Amino acid sequence: MSAATEAFLAMLAAERGAALNTLAAYRRDLGGAEEAIGDLAAVERDAVAGLAQEWASLAPASVARKASALRQFFGFAMDEGWRGDDPSGALPAPRSRRPLPKLLGHDQIAALFARAEDDAMGNEPRAVRQLALIELLYGSGLRATELVALPLSAVPRDAPFLTITGKGGATRLVPVGARALEAVGRWMAVRPALPASRFLFPSKGGAHLSRIRLYQLIKALAARAGLDPAQVSPHVLRHAFATHLLEGGADLRVLQTLLGHADISTTQIYTHVDAARLVALVNSRHPLATRATSD
């Protein structure tokens, strides 16, 4: 990659606190663009316009993501004085709607937890860890990255809250329910003694459980519970947490705080509920709902 692109990535890490996964995504998108059209700090506008053809086979969401990365780079390049123009107007701008996350119903959640609880009956450490993981995913709505990186110091002592460091280094307090507290307590009782690890869910090497391993564990559990593994993931459990809280009457602003969303529009998409339930809510709760219509 060019020196300018590396400088941009360094800025994202230092000034914006971008997570490793975010940096990796920017590196892929910017690196791919450089392979196609050359050094982004010096490339001509016509070459930038040619990316539309280069990206023709990609989904609209992928094109939008790549274009966003380049727009940010070009803005940075102008601020640094490397470019006197901003060619981002030549980038393709597809219109795409964010897909709604997959949704698990209450019966599916119950089946998943019943299987996890059965697995943990013998108090085998891996099974107890599995139960603690899904309790925190569904009970507190944590992101996969936040969950696996939880330090031991995050385990609640005086108050049932976790202090979570989320995207961009932002911190938030997340309540932990009684079930999750019990599951975490069971895990702490059987957690392997690894003095070198400061993480709640350590790996053998002293680091923390990986996101990939978490995904594998959740999908394997789904299969044992009779669910389609393709429909179940840590992200789906986070979405179920938000959706089911909303169904129970939680305020959207509260959900925004719990989920760690900077923009409430993200929460509105994340906590989508079906139209029929909304219609029923209006019919039962609106002040005019119980008044008879005049002839």
Side-chain angles (χ1 to χ4, degrees), residues 25 145 154 160 185 274 280 283:
T145 303
D274 61 277
N283 287 338

Side-chain angles (χ1 to χ4, degrees), residues 70-114:
L70 264 68
R71 276 194 295 273
Q72 292 182 64
F73 171 82
F74 289 136
F76 174 73
M78 291 183 67
D79 290 343
E80 294 295 313
W82 299 333
R83 296 191 65 100
D85 68 320
D86 181 0
S88 60
L91 289 166
R95 293 183 178 180
S96 63
R97 292 184 177 181
R98 292 184 63 177
L100 293 172
K102 298 169 185 175
L103 177 63
L104 288 180
H106 294 276
D107 290 345
Q108 293 169 302
I109 289 289
L112 192 71
F113 274 81

Side-chain angles (χ1 to χ4, degrees), residues 43-56:
V43 70
E44 298 292 335
R45 184 183 179 92
D46 288 347
V48 174
L51 287 172
Q53 183 64 33
E54 185 75 20
W55 297 342

